[in-house]
Amino acid sequence: MEQLERLREICLDLPEAVERLSHGEPAWFVRGKKTFVMFADHHHDDRLGFWCAAPPGVQQELVAEDPGRFFRPPYVGHRGWLGVYLDVEVDWAEVAEIVTDAYRVVAPKSLVQRLGEP
């Protein structure tokens, strides 16, 4: 599946990111501990997408701006996580920014510094 492969490439390009299954879906963790992205293939809504950590306020802003591409995911949405649909036309540069922001939210400062300025 092309969407999963592209998302995997973006996630694993980040410092000390690792992939493993979580709740039956691929997920990416910082140093194998803190989840920053979870793939969501038809999880409860027959849609393809991913869930990720997000800076405060981003979920509300993006969902309000474009509910056809963004959503409040179940289970983690109340913590500000963002859902991104991958079964629509995808702006992969934007996805890379969203994933990098998710990483910045959960990664230790020493790893975030390796990314440089946002």
Side-chain angles (χ1 to χ4, degrees):
M1 171 179 317
E2 179 187 347
Q3 295 96 327
L4 174 58
E5 292 307 316
R6 295 206 52 191
L7 183 62
R8 175 177 284 133
E9 183 180 322
I10 291 166
C11 291
L12 292 177
D13 197 37
L14 296 165
E16 298 187 42
V18 297
E19 177 181 338
R20 70 171 187 262
L21 288 180
S22 178
H23 302 91
E25 300 276 13
W28 292 271
F29 300 79
V30 178
R31 291 186 172 158
K33 297 176 185 171
K34 289 191 157 191
T35 311
F36 67 100
V37 173
M38 296 178 67
F39 190 67
D41 185 4
H42 308 295
H43 192 82
H44 298 290
D45 63 1
D46 290 334
R47 299 289 310 264
L48 179 65
F50 68 92
W51 308 345
C52 64
V58 168
Q59 176 208 88
Q60 296 84 347
E61 178 183 327
L62 291 178
V63 171
E65 179 182 302
D66 194 348
R69 293 189 320 132
F70 303 104
F71 63 99
R72 184 178 190 250
Y75 312 115
V76 293
H78 69 279
R79 294 188 356 224
W81 277 49
L82 175 66
V84 181
Y85 289 122
L86 295 175
D87 56 3
V88 296
E89 188 172 329
V90 178
D91 178 342
W92 287 102
E94 180 181 48
V95 167
E97 288 177 27
I98 290 168
V99 167
T100 302
D101 287 346
Y103 180 90
R104 288 178 191 280
V105 168
V106 303
K109 288 180 184 175
S110 60
L111 292 180
V112 171
Q113 288 173 343
R114 289 171 53 184
L115 297 175
E117 292 300 314

